[in-house]
Amino acid sequence: MPDSSIVHYVTPEHQNSISLSDFVIYYNLNKYIVDNKMLLKINKKLLFAIFMIVITKGFAQIRTEIRPTEIWPDEQGAHIQAHGGGITKVNDTYYWYGEERRQGLDSGKRYVSCYASKDLMNWKFCKDVVQMADPNGQGKGWILERPKVFYNSKTGKFVMYFHLDNKSYKTASVGIAVADKPDGDFTFVKSFRPLGHESRDIGQFIDDDGTAYLIFEDRPYGFRIARLSDDYMNVEKEICLIPQHMEGGAIVHYQGLYYAVGSALTGWAPNANKYATAKSLAGPWSEFKDIAPPETNTYGSQSTLLLKVTGTKGSSVLFLGDIWKPKSQWDSRYLWMPVEIGDGKLWVPEPKPFSIDVKTGLTSE
Ligand code: GAL
């Protein structure tokens, strides 16, 4: 007997007088049609599922490498907005904070984004942890740039330093905002000139012993390195003034030597960034030398951080730079590259895609 669930699409004219062979044909024909309809239905579902997988995978692609200079999509597929940024590691998670410069923001406010990653290649957008209106009368066009977050394990607080200025960069101060968690809302606390000095571009450095330092550009004098207070809420002690006019300051401690990198003062336009070395943060510091072929202007980028990644097999140092696009800041790119470093030499090789294994501390092309 035919399956009662079969819908009879083909009806014999004289159902009562149907022969056995007619019936078999009729039954098979119906079954064929129904099977195909079902197949079509199943296929449609399957196609839809594959389509969805492709769509979501396309956006949430697992990245196995960092591709300097290119659009860098976060896990939702949007270009990462963390310019002039810094990295803070808490347990096994890296947090990347930076200037949020996506289109459509409230022009009276300044925003700092926070992204999280366990491998430095795939970043999840947490949120804009700062969405601040002019905190203390800097006026229209006020500046919040180069946010850097220090995690204080004694107080459990996340302390953000940023360059706070007015439109014409005359305030030259740092601002501090604090949160209880890495992706928490940061609340503005205060602003000041560190140790009474002018401060524009800032950088962060945490030594191997955990001591936290602020690097800041003091226009009349040069590049200053100063230690933060125990609770990180103040800039407490000057460690060194390098009488070199440099910004975008970054420092790494590698195999017993400190390497300081900085950029010349050419605004958004790239220049040939340079480095010097010293056995102690207090100096004496060597002469400054190029970190890349000078004619490339650091491959079009400007330093923001030197990130040391130490794993089971060694340490890699990444140069983190910004490729600024002043007229379309949201499209500004990143130049992250492992540097060749050791014995007093530091060199950023020509940018190319690389991957990093945060467990071993090694990078590979
Ligand atoms: C650069 C600085 C940037 C931004 C820019 C404005 O020198 O590194 O953070 O301040 O100038 O022109």
Side-chain angles (χ1 to χ4, degrees), residues 44-57:
K44 267 189 189 161
K45 277 191 182 157
L46 203 71
L47 279 175
F48 183 68
I50 291 169
F51 177 67
M52 287 310 286
I53 288 168
V54 169
I55 289 284
T56 35
K57 277 274 171 198

Side-chain angles (χ1 to χ4, degrees), residues 159-230:
V159 183
M160 180 187 295
Y161 278 70
F162 51 85
H163 174 194
L164 177 66
D165 226 317
N166 66 358
K167 194 182 172 181
S168 51
Y169 288 90
K170 290 284 186 295
T171 306
S173 66
V174 292
I176 292 186
V178 174
D180 292 325
K181 47 182 190 159
D183 56 352
D185 293 318
F186 282 72
T187 311
F188 179 74
V189 179
K190 60 181 174 179
S191 79
F192 57 93
R193 282 187 167 182
L195 302 163
H197 298 297
E198 289 186 22
S199 173
R200 291 188 176 83
D201 276 12
I202 59 164
Q204 74 182 136
F205 172 58
I206 297 166
D207 209 342
D208 298 333
D209 65 2
T211 314
Y213 300 88
L214 186 75
I215 307 158
F216 59 101
E217 188 258 321
D218 178 5
R219 196 59 53 92
Y221 299 101
F223 188 90
R224 288 191 196 268
I225 304 164
R227 198 181 65 213
L228 302 187
S229 60
D230 270 0

Side-chain angles (χ1 to χ4, degrees), residues 215-224 240-247 249 260-265 272-276 285-290:
I215 307 158
F216 59 101
E217 188 258 321
D218 178 5
R219 196 59 53 92
Y221 299 101
F223 188 90
R224 288 191 196 268
C240 191
L241 163 66
I242 306 178
Q244 185 95 6
H245 294 287
M246 290 204 320
E247 58 184 13
V261 165
S263 136
L265 313 180
N273 293 187
K274 295 188 186 304
Y275 80 99
W285 287 86
S286 71
E287 289 293 299
F288 278 83
K289 295 181 202 136
D290 289 321

Side-chain angles (χ1 to χ4, degrees), residues 69 261-274 290-303 319 321-324 335 347-351:
T69 79
V261 165
S263 136
L265 313 180
T266 57
W268 299 119
N271 56 69
N273 293 187
K274 295 188 186 304
D290 289 321
I291 64 167
E295 66 279 8
T296 69
N297 286 330
T298 323
Y299 310 108
S301 73
Q302 184 188 23
S303 53
F319 169 83
D322 294 285
I323 299 175
W324 296 110
L335 191 140
W347 188 253
V348 184
E350 200 185 335

